[in-house]
């Protein structure tokens, strides 16, 4: 069997299993053991295979007698960590009611709701106080990236106290470490100015668009409203927001 601890061994086994899933072995119980092994390897080593996780849940749906609550919880935990990818949503559609009622599964789905509604301070507090039943040491780091992705999609610049609360970082130094770890999302941290600048993208940068032959600047007023909403949201949960003074 491949060495699933190494990225190369995991990738090779992932490719082998996906070929079987796409072929005659789709939903076959013969894949139960290797798919479950892939889930365990992801939890232990931080790898990820959305197709294998989804295939395991689909196989359990087809063979309910083979389903394991612990594996449902593990697969969903991995899907939670992969947000904003849609793998978790796809797995939720396949869950039978009996699985949804299981304690471990219900806990992961509650965490997912917090993440999907951008209630990040509450999410991280919950993960610290009551982590998912499937042990996953990489979960906090993965959820921090999820938060960074969503912040970047809306905001070009964020006040440092708000940023710290949203990404569960202790101080400006921790924010700088996150920026260094995710240079594709965070442009920089200015501790003196108390601001964090995200990488420019279509969602966070004002664009010029023609309207009736007139080029109109858009995005600034909308961004201000979004910033105010975000400020109120974070203040209601962590009390870190200061008045704008503009």
């Amino acid at each position: 069997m491949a060495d699933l601890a190494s990225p190369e061994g995991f990738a090779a086994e992932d490719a082998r299993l996906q070929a079987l899933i796409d072929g005659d072995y789709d939903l076959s119980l013969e894949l139960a053991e290797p798919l479950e092994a892939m889930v365990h390897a992801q939890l232990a080593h931080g790898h990820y295979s959305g197709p294998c996780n989804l295939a395991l849940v689909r196989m359990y749906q087809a063979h309910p007698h083979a389903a394991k609550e612990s594996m449902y919880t593990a697969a969903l935990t991995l899907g939670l960590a992969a947000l904003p990818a849609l793998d978790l949503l796809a797995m939720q559609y396949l869950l039978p009611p009996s699985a949804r009622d299981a304690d471990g599964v219900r806990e992961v789905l509650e965490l997912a709701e917090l993440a999907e509604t951008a209630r990040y301070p509450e999410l991280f507090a919950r993960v610290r106080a009551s982590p998912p039943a499937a042990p996953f040491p990489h979960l906090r780091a993965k959820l921090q990236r999820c938060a960074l992705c969503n912040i970047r999609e809306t905001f070009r610049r964020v006040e440092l106290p708000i940023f710290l609360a949203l990404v569960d970082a202790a101080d400006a130094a921790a924010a700088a470490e996150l920026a260094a770890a995710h240079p594709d999302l965070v442009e920089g941290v200015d501790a003196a100015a108390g601001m964090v600048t995200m990488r420019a993208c279509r969602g966070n940068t004002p664009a010029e668009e023609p309207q009736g032959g007139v080029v109109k600047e858009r995005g600034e007023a909308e961004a201000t409203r979004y910033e105010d909403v975000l400020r109120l949201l974070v203040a209601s949960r962590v009390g870190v927001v200061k008045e704008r003074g503009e």
Side-chain angles (χ1 to χ4, degrees):
M1 186 172 180
D3 175 16
L4 299 182
S6 71
E8 297 79 12
F10 183 87
E13 180 68 355
D14 186 30
R16 184 184 77 86
L17 288 173
Q18 288 194 45
L20 294 175
I21 293 165
D22 293 338
D24 295 335
Y25 281 81
D26 184 34
L27 303 181
S28 169
L29 274 176
E30 294 181 39
L31 293 182
E33 185 174 345
L35 287 174
E36 289 171 356
M38 288 287 282
V39 169
H40 288 304
Q42 292 171 73
L43 290 174
H45 306 294
H47 308 315
Y48 188 68
S49 174
C52 282
N53 299 338
L54 184 59
L56 180 63
V57 175
R58 290 178 61 241
M59 189 197 66
Y60 283 165
Q61 184 188 48
H63 305 281
H65 65 282
K68 301 175 183 177
E69 177 187 330
S70 63
M71 296 307 301
Y72 274 132
T73 302
L76 290 169
T77 299
L78 292 167
L80 169 67
L83 289 172
L86 299 178
D87 300 339
L88 178 62
L89 180 62
M91 286 188 279
Q92 288 185 62
Y93 281 123
L94 299 174
L95 286 177
S98 58
R100 287 180 176 274
D101 293 337
D103 289 342
V105 170
R106 186 173 64 252
E107 289 172 359
V108 175
L109 296 182
E110 289 172 357
L111 292 175
E113 182 180 0
L114 295 176
E116 290 164 352
T117 53
R119 292 151 66 186
Y120 295 116
E122 194 174 341
L123 169 67
F124 287 112
R126 176 79 175 270
V127 168
R128 283 194 301 273
S130 180
F136 186 34
H138 306 277
L139 180 59
R140 178 175 175 271
K142 300 283 190 182
L143 291 176
Q144 284 179 314
R145 181 168 178 85
C146 169
L148 289 172
C149 287
N150 287 335
I151 293 169
R152 181 199 178 220
E153 282 301 312
T154 307
F155 304 103
R156 186 72 169 92
R157 302 178 75 228
V158 185
E159 292 178 13
L160 182 59
I162 296 177
F163 182 84
L164 296 178
L166 290 175
V167 300
D168 196 37
D171 50 30
E177 289 180 6
L178 270 178
H182 304 278
D184 57 321
L185 300 176
V186 186
E187 185 172 307
V189 177
D190 188 339
M195 296 297 296
V196 178
T197 302
M198 309 302 291
R199 290 291 179 190
C201 68
R202 185 173 182 178
N204 69 19
T205 303
E208 292 185 347
E209 59 182 16
Q211 293 188 359
V214 178
V215 176
K216 179 182 178 183
E217 184 81 5
R218 67 175 177 84
E220 187 172 327
E222 296 172 67
T224 300
R225 289 197 296 273
Y226 278 126
E227 287 172 3
D228 289 338
V229 170
L230 179 61
R231 184 171 287 102
L232 291 172
L233 173 65
V234 176
S236 70
R237 303 186 191 285
V238 297
V240 298
V241 180
K242 61 184 180 180
E243 292 296 325
R244 287 184 66 91
E246 294 181 353

